[in-house]
Amino acid sequence: MRRTTRRLGGLLAATALVAVACTGGSGTDDAVRPGLGGPGSSIDLGDVELTSALVRYDTCEAYLADVRAEALARVTPWGLEGGGWYGGPWMVAEEAVDDSAGADAATEGAATPDAAAPPTDGREVSGTNVQEEGVDEPDIVKTDGTHLYAVVAGELQIVDISDPAGPVVRSSTPLAGGWGAELLLVDDRLLVTQTLSGGWDEPMPLDGGGASDDGRAAIGAMPVDPGPGGPVPWSSSRTSLALVDVSDPTAPRVERTWSSEGSYVSARMVDGVARVVIRSHPAERLPFVQPAGPNAEDAALAANRGVIESSTIDQWIPSFTLLDGDGTELNTQQVARCDRLYRPAEFSGFGVLAVVTVDVDAGLGDGSGVALGADGETVYASADRLYVATNRWVEAPAEASDAADPAASSIAPWGPEGEQRTAIHQFAIDTEGPAEHLASGSVAGHLLDQFSMSEHDGVLRVATTDGSPWGGGGSESAVAVLEPQGERLVEVGRVDGLGLGERIYAVRFLGDRGFVVTFRQVDPLYALDLSVPTAPRLTGELKIPGFSSYLHPVAEHLLLGVGQDATDDGRVTGSQVSLFDVTDPAEPTRVAQLDLGADASSEVEFDHRAFLWWDGLAVLPLNRWSWDDRTGNEDYRTGAVGIDVDTGTRALAERGRITHIDQSAGIGGAGTLDPWGTEIRRSVVVDDVLLTLSERGLLASDLATLEPVGWTTLG
């Protein structure tokens, strides 16, 4: 297994990390008060005063003291974050509780680029379309060239594709979480990731519903156990990681199951070791109350303050359970030990962001990780660094605060225009054991998706839109360059002024170059020179109608764009594919365009994993929906389109279209024209056959002509 160690620029600089230790177990040591300052403030820890990007805790007591102080400063009669019902009881009158009610409530509620798949017998097999070579991403389809593993209609389907023209289903196994599962494949093991939801005001089943209707055990299923906290609100969720042995495709066997409070965000895998990102919120574990009316607000606030003062570490940091395949409990503990807990010195919300290391060869390992007192939304990884980003919480302006109304001083993810920021956390994933937090920082504006981040030569490039997230109203975009300096990600370069009044629709970083698409009425494609991190610069732009939502390199200096065409006034008209020549950085040009039909759209526009690039052929799902107001007729068509990209003549042409709706010879179903469930989600190449997947089935098509040659019903 490959393991590399690389020092990033500035990593040996003097650090500003604060290691906090607490003597005694009360968690009330007055010297332990990091993280309470506002933006740019200094932190007073006894005789030490410095500005810190991150606070590290050596004990649970220290973390608990800090988070309690933050929560007491922000709690309202409705709980944390200025409102929202977390399922607590109503406070019907101010006399409904006394000063001890909060403590009692707390005690009762305590709760603990295309990645080619490995060839088989010399076969040529496509893999998941990933952002970075060598960094696998989870998806609903994986293949080893002999079998195809797919999440279809809430089940794991294993299909024998030894003869790709005649696929054969070997097994169908229900998934505990139903839809939404994703897969990672290592040799003959699958890592199945799911988010499992509970029910309203009932004990939440850890298996998300238990066995299937026919009694088969579901992958990810665990014994129903609401835990010491008893019933939890409907918004609670758990993340399940199931390690499944698929060496016998007719009988997949669960080897280990890892389950934790919180929602699965995403994962990345390098050399068989996955880093899984999970976010959770303590409000789901704290038994807050809420007022039934204005006269009960003071009592509710007092009760909620009591909940915080009596809270335990288990209510702020989620725990996980690791089970053997037979249900034997192997381990239960916090997702991160207290000496692996961090909080940004600048308050970043009450969410907990955990990065869990899962070594498939080691049977998931011990299941532990590292955790930040922050949220996380967007995940990007290079071969040795993982980044998690989120819109940073912005304090309400002082003039908007009202001491008499605690809710008025709540925090929100969006501040006044121009004050949105994105927090970014960097982790090392090139060492054995848990990921290691390296640095944190922030940039102005908000991200589009994972392609908004890219690491190159030790620096991180980040594309953001500042202003309205929907464009217009003075918004503009920029690319910032961040360098790790100690435990900070410091902005060392920036090029801004991109797309005034517009927002970003697509980003692609390729080595020392970057390409950004913005849109409002026309589509500017901006070309950037990023070879000097401290002086990134705009080199050229191209303005055309419409926009691209996904950019894919198809040859040196050629980009394929998938998006929407539009009129001159910015009204989108339907899917298009564009071929851009970016040889001259001062003058990018569109050398070919292919209209895919009015009112059409593609999943590729928001999920790059739906895109297949294979030896000059691009395959993308294509759906068309229209409504005729005069007749009341609805027209819905679905399928996929194969596009030949001639990089020599720089031309685009359709090779053919594929549908899972039965139109002629019985391929695609039982003689029905019903399109529902036939949306093609993914495409896979096996030798000279193209396999396309929908919830209805798996269609085999001749790769040269895209004519159907075989069909297998799924689900």
Side-chain angles (χ1 to χ4, degrees):
M1 187 176 295
R2 181 182 66 85
R3 286 289 182 267
T4 61
T5 301
R6 187 183 69 182
R7 280 295 186 188
L8 300 182
L11 194 56
L12 296 178
T15 69
L17 185 68
V18 181
V20 180
C22 179
T23 58
S26 66
T28 58
D29 190 337
D30 289 338
V32 182
R33 283 295 182 269
L36 300 181
S41 66
S42 296
I43 300 172
D44 188 2
L45 297 176
D47 296 331
V48 180
E49 183 176 308
L50 46 85
T51 300
S52 174
L54 209 69
V55 179
R56 183 180 64 211
Y57 296 87
D58 287 342
T59 68
C60 293
E61 290 82 4
Y63 184 93
L64 186 60
D66 192 5
V67 75
R68 281 177 178 171
E70 295 281 11
L72 287 172
R74 293 168 170 82
V75 69
T76 76
W78 295 268
L80 289 173
E81 298 170 15
W85 185 23
Y86 299 114
W90 294 95
M91 300 299 296
V92 296
E94 188 165 348
E95 297 80 15
V97 295
D98 56 28
D99 292 340
S100 64
D104 293 339
T107 302
E108 293 174 3
T112 61
D114 283 0
T120 301
D121 297 329
R123 310 190 88 175
E124 292 187 315
V125 182
S126 67
T128 303
N129 180 34
V130 298
Q131 182 176 358
E132 297 285 0
E133 183 178 357
V135 183
D136 199 9
E137 301 181 22
D139 197 12
I140 61 173
V141 173
K142 294 291 178 179
T143 183
D144 56 13
T146 301
H147 292 89
L148 183 139
Y149 311 92
V151 176
V152 179
E155 293 192 332
L156 171 65
Q157 303 275 346
I158 302 181
V159 184
D160 190 331
I161 55 173
S162 298
D163 176 9
V168 178
V169 177
R170 294 304 185 193
S171 62
S172 301
T173 308
L175 297 165
W179 284 261
E182 294 185 335
L183 310 173
L184 286 166
L185 176 65
V186 181
D187 298 327
D188 56 3
R189 287 187 174 99
L190 279 176
L191 181 65
V192 183
T193 63
Q194 305 177 76
T195 294
L196 314 178
S197 298
W200 174 258
D201 241 1
E202 298 175 357
M204 183 179 65
L206 305 191
D207 61 2
S212 62
D213 292 339
D214 60 10
R216 292 177 294 163
I219 292 176
M222 296 183 69
V224 175
D225 179 9
V232 293
W234 69 272
S235 58
S236 293
S237 59
R238 295 185 73 89
T239 293
S240 166
L241 309 176
L243 184 62
V244 183
D245 183 343
V246 292
S247 57
D248 181 357
T250 65
R253 180 178 61 88
V254 176
E255 292 184 346
R256 296 278 176 89
T257 300
W258 183 100
S259 178
S260 171
E261 303 163 70
S263 299
Y264 164 74
V265 179
S266 191
R268 296 293 184 271
M269 186 168 69
V270 179
D271 293 337
V273 178
R275 313 292 178 158
V276 184
V277 180
I278 298 165
R279 63 183 178 191
S280 63
H281 203 287
E284 298 178 355
R285 298 185 294 275
L286 292 169
F288 290 124
V289 300
Q290 60 178 337
N295 293 332
E297 289 186 6
D298 289 345
L301 178 59
N304 289 340
R305 290 181 62 86
V307 167
I308 293 169
E309 291 167 347
S310 303
S311 61
T312 64
I313 191 67
D314 292 333
Q315 291 173 299
W316 295 99
I317 304 298
S319 298
F320 73 86
T321 299
L322 181 65
L323 299 183
D324 207 347
D326 60 3
T328 302
E329 183 176 316
L330 301 175
N331 191 15
T332 295
Q333 66 182 52
Q334 290 176 193
V335 293
R337 299 196 316 248
C338 288
D339 60 355
R340 293 180 185 154
L341 296 179
Y342 300 82
R343 283 177 59 83
E346 184 174 331
F347 178 71
S348 296
F350 293 103
V352 174
L353 177 69
V355 179
V356 178
T357 297
V358 176
D359 191 331
V360 173
D361 290 337
L364 300 186
D366 67 2
S368 63
V370 61
L372 294 178
D375 204 348
E377 298 169 348
T378 306
V379 176
Y380 160 76
S382 65
D384 52 10
R385 297 291 181 263
L386 181 139
Y387 298 85
V388 184
T390 185
N391 293 321
R392 200 184 72 188
W393 297 45
V394 179
E395 297 283 356
E399 59 270 19
S401 300
D402 182 355
D405 182 5
S409 60
S410 63
I411 53 178
W414 296 102
E417 187 170 313
E419 292 188 9
Q420 306 96 355
R421 296 193 69 83
T422 294
I424 303 175
H425 308 288
Q426 180 196 53
F427 300 85
I429 57 173
D430 59 348
T431 58
E432 300 284 353
E436 177 188 357
H437 179 272
L438 294 180
S440 290
S442 68
V443 292
H446 55 274
L447 305 183
L448 173 67
D449 55 24
Q450 69 185 63
F451 286 89
S452 297
M453 293 185 283
S454 172
E455 184 190 86
H456 183 66
D457 288 343
V459 298
L460 179 71
R461 293 83 61 86
V462 185
T464 60
T465 295
D466 195 11
S468 168
W470 300 277
S475 63
E476 66 174 274
S477 298
V479 171
V481 180
L482 304 182
E483 180 184 56
Q485 297 179 5
E487 276 67 40
R488 286 183 177 275
L489 289 174
V490 177
E491 184 174 312
V492 296
R494 163 177 288 265
V495 54
D496 50 21
L498 308 179
L500 297 177
E502 303 171 345
R503 71 173 178 89
I504 291 176
Y505 272 71
V507 183
R508 196 76 195 222
F509 293 102
L510 300 171
D512 288 332
R513 303 183 68 183
F515 303 92
V516 177
V517 172
T518 63
F519 177 75
R520 188 179 183 188
Q521 286 185 298
V522 295
D523 168 11
L525 171 67
Y526 294 100
L528 306 171
D529 180 353
L530 307 172
S531 58
V532 181
T534 56
R537 61 191 183 92
L538 174 65
T539 58
E541 65 179 278
L542 168 68
K543 291 190 176 182
I544 54 175
F547 59 88
S548 296
S549 296
Y550 175 66
L551 297 172
H552 193 90
V554 296
E556 187 177 11
H557 305 311
L558 285 179
L559 288 175
L560 190 70
V562 179
Q564 291 280 312
D565 201 356
T567 63
D568 290 340
D569 61 0
R571 182 178 63 85
V572 296
T573 58
S575 290
Q576 69 169 358
V577 175
S578 300
L579 187 62
F580 299 103
D581 184 342
V582 294
T583 304
D584 183 353
E587 193 173 350
T589 59
R590 181 165 69 177
V591 293
Q593 177 193 18
L594 188 62
D595 186 355
L596 300 179
D599 301 316
S601 62
S602 175
E603 186 174 349
V604 173
E605 295 177 39
F606 56 88
D607 190 342
H608 64 283
R609 297 170 299 181
F611 181 84
L612 170 68
W613 174 248
W614 186 261
D615 194 23
L617 174 69
V619 180
L620 51 145
L622 194 65
N623 300 316
R624 179 183 182 274
W625 181 87
S626 64
W627 174 266
D628 191 325
D629 289 330
R630 295 171 300 174
T631 65
N633 291 332
E634 179 184 42
D635 183 15
Y636 182 70
R637 302 177 186 177
T638 181
V641 58
I643 301 170
D644 283 309
V645 182
D646 191 324
T647 58
T649 63
R650 301 182 180 185
L652 301 173
E654 284 195 22
R655 182 176 298 188
R657 297 204 178 198
I658 298 170
T659 180
H660 284 198
I661 303 173
D662 180 23
Q663 294 184 354
S664 55
I667 294 176
T672 176
L673 293 177
D674 180 10
W676 301 108
T678 62
E679 294 89 348
I680 293 175
R681 302 291 312 283
R682 297 293 187 269
S683 304
V684 176
V685 171
V686 181
D687 291 334
D688 57 358
V689 173
L690 177 68
L691 299 171
T692 50
L693 177 78
S694 70
E695 287 190 6
R696 188 168 291 182
L698 189 67
L699 178 66
S701 302
D702 181 270
L703 185 60
T705 65
L706 301 191
E707 291 297 320
V709 296
W711 169 264
T712 298
T713 300
L714 301 177

